[in-house]
Amino acid sequence: MIRIAEFFNPDQSSLIQLVRQCGIEDAVGCMDWSRGLEVPDEALPWSFIPLKQQQQRYRELGFKLEVLENRPPMEKIKLGQPGRDEEIEQVLVLIRNLGRLQIPVWCYEWMPVFNWIRTNPKVPSRGGALVSGFRLKDVEDPYPNEDRVDSDQLWSNLKYFLDAIVPVAETAGVKLAMHPDDPPVPEVKGTPRIMCSIENFQKLLDLYSSDMNGIALCQGNFTLMTDDLPAVIRKFGSQKKIFFVHFRDVQGHAADFVETFHDDGKTDMVQCMRTYQEIGYEGVCRPDHVPTMGEDSNQNYGYSEIGRLFAIGYLKGLREAIYGSPS
């Protein structure tokens, strides 16, 4: 059965209490960055003792840490700059330690220069809730592609990276889940993106054939790549390559869209859940990019506590309707 988790930092006490009250026991977590990076190697967030201590914090709160959705610095790796081998070595340290701690999935991404981006963080939605929106023509890019990296170079750098890390992940037993570009467009103001199409995700899988090389199926991005998301779930699920799922939805197309409530987007969520059941997916999914509801602050848009409660309840009801009662 698909398992519902939530993403949070162990310090988010009010959210954690609510998530536990919803009956969630699996966590998607992050490393402890509180000491910064100007510390001895053994104290870096991805080193064994700090990572073990972070895992223990989740355990003491009543959660099993199933996915790490957090990365060491990787910009030189993506851009192929001097120093990339040193960054790769830190990723290898992380993967080995995840294996030692039996944290089974690492979610990473391949967005150079800047990460996910929105152009409007407060689009009015149902009942006055706020959602985020994106219009490619409105992007004011504060991070120019000074290295003039192109898509071919991004693919070459990705191959170099996979050649280095997949054998270590195989030994450690850690699944590598690539998150799609957000938004999934091939270029944002001169900066190329390559994890932006179904074909390119298949190319990723073919770059290194391994049981550990797979994807994080973020539905909000993948549904912008296709008009038939269940077919895509079936395609990658039949290859046993879906390692982690983000459950969210949108309206619009990749160059112009808004986030939505989970029951108000373009995707047939019932059919998606049914397809996860059909392919035998037993991994973790978490709600993502929820509306800001009630009196919640929109400062960290997409992660409203009340919005997350709505999403968790929706997902639990959807799961029970398809799978039956988990008991």
Side-chain angles (χ1 to χ4, degrees), residues 21 74 80 82 89 94 106 121 171 173 230 285 307:
Q21 290 172 354
M74 291 176 52
E89 184 54 42
L94 169 64
W106 178 49
T171 300
C285 75

Side-chain angles (χ1 to χ4, degrees), residues 138-317:
D138 291 342
V139 173
E140 296 179 1
D141 185 1
Y143 308 108
N145 179 13
E146 295 175 346
D147 293 88
R148 308 312 305 167
V149 64
D150 60 29
S151 59
D152 288 340
Q153 290 170 308
L154 286 181
W155 279 113
S156 176
N157 296 340
L158 178 56
K159 178 66 164 61
Y160 186 91
F161 182 62
L162 293 176
D163 286 345
I165 71 166
V166 175
V168 175
E170 290 174 337
T171 300
V174 175
K175 294 180 177 180
L176 309 172
M178 171 71 86
H179 189 283
D181 299 331
D182 187 3
V185 292
E187 184 177 294
V188 180
K189 294 292 186 179
T191 299
R193 305 280 179 130
I194 58 174
M195 291 291 97
C196 57
S197 70
I198 307 303
E199 296 76 18
N200 283 8
F201 265 86
Q202 187 61 56
K203 183 175 178 178
L204 161 75
L205 301 179
D206 295 339
L207 274 181
Y208 201 114
S209 179
S210 169
D211 291 343
M212 298 295 109
N213 182 28
I215 68 175
L217 201 149
C218 178
Q219 292 194 169
N221 288 304
F222 272 92
T223 200
L224 293 169
M225 305 177 198
T226 178
D227 290 326
D228 190 351
L229 186 55
V232 173
I233 295 170
R234 197 170 293 111
K235 170 183 172 67
F236 292 122
S238 66
Q239 300 174 62
K240 303 298 181 185
K241 293 296 188 179
I242 301 175
F243 296 161
F244 178 38
V245 173
H246 281 182
F247 236 86
R248 67 180 180 90
D249 210 356
V250 297
Q251 289 282 8
H253 55 86
D256 188 350
F257 66 87
V258 295
E259 308 268 12
T260 68
F261 281 87
H262 283 71
D263 63 346
D264 197 32
K266 62 178 289 189
T267 308
D268 186 339
M269 292 294 211
V270 175
Q271 188 57 42
C272 286
M273 185 64 78
R274 184 174 290 119
T275 307
Y276 288 120
Q277 182 195 40
E278 289 173 4
I279 66 172
Y281 178 70
E282 296 184 347
V284 163
C285 75
R286 74 165 178 90
D288 193 26
H289 294 194
V290 301
T292 298
M293 298 176 64
E295 299 301 315
D296 274 0
S297 168
N298 197 48
Q299 183 175 0
N300 189 22
Y301 60 89
Y303 293 93
S304 159
E305 289 189 4
I306 300 175
R308 295 205 222 187
L309 296 185
F310 174 89
I312 290 171
Y314 178 81
L315 281 179
K316 292 191 74 173

Side-chain angles (χ1 to χ4, degrees), residues 1 316 319-320 323-327:
M1 178 181 289
K316 292 191 74 173
R319 182 178 66 178
E320 185 164 339
Y323 287 86
S325 173
S327 60

Side-chain angles (χ1 to χ4, degrees), residues 108-144:
Y108 72 110
E109 44 77 19
W110 206 250
M111 290 177 269
V113 185
F114 51 87
N115 203 290
W116 69 284
I117 185 172
R118 295 292 184 269
T119 54
N120 188 347
K122 48 184 180 181
V123 179
S125 184
R126 189 170 70 196
L130 298 177
V131 297
S132 67
F134 176 82
R135 288 202 303 181
L136 185 59
K137 66 179 183 179
D138 291 342
V139 173
E140 296 179 1
D141 185 1
Y143 308 108

Side-chain angles (χ1 to χ4, degrees), residues 46-82:
W46 49 88
S47 294
F48 182 73
I49 295 301
L51 199 58
K52 182 179 180 180
Q53 291 172 340
Q54 188 77 334
Q55 181 188 45
Q56 182 62 26
R57 292 187 188 104
Y58 284 100
R59 185 179 293 120
E60 290 171 352
L61 292 165
F63 295 90
K64 185 177 181 182
L65 182 57
E66 289 287 345
V67 180
L68 186 75
E69 194 170 347
N70 208 201
R71 278 77 63 178
M74 291 176 52
E75 194 65 12
K76 294 174 183 176
I77 303 172
K78 297 173 193 174
L79 297 174
Q81 295 174 335

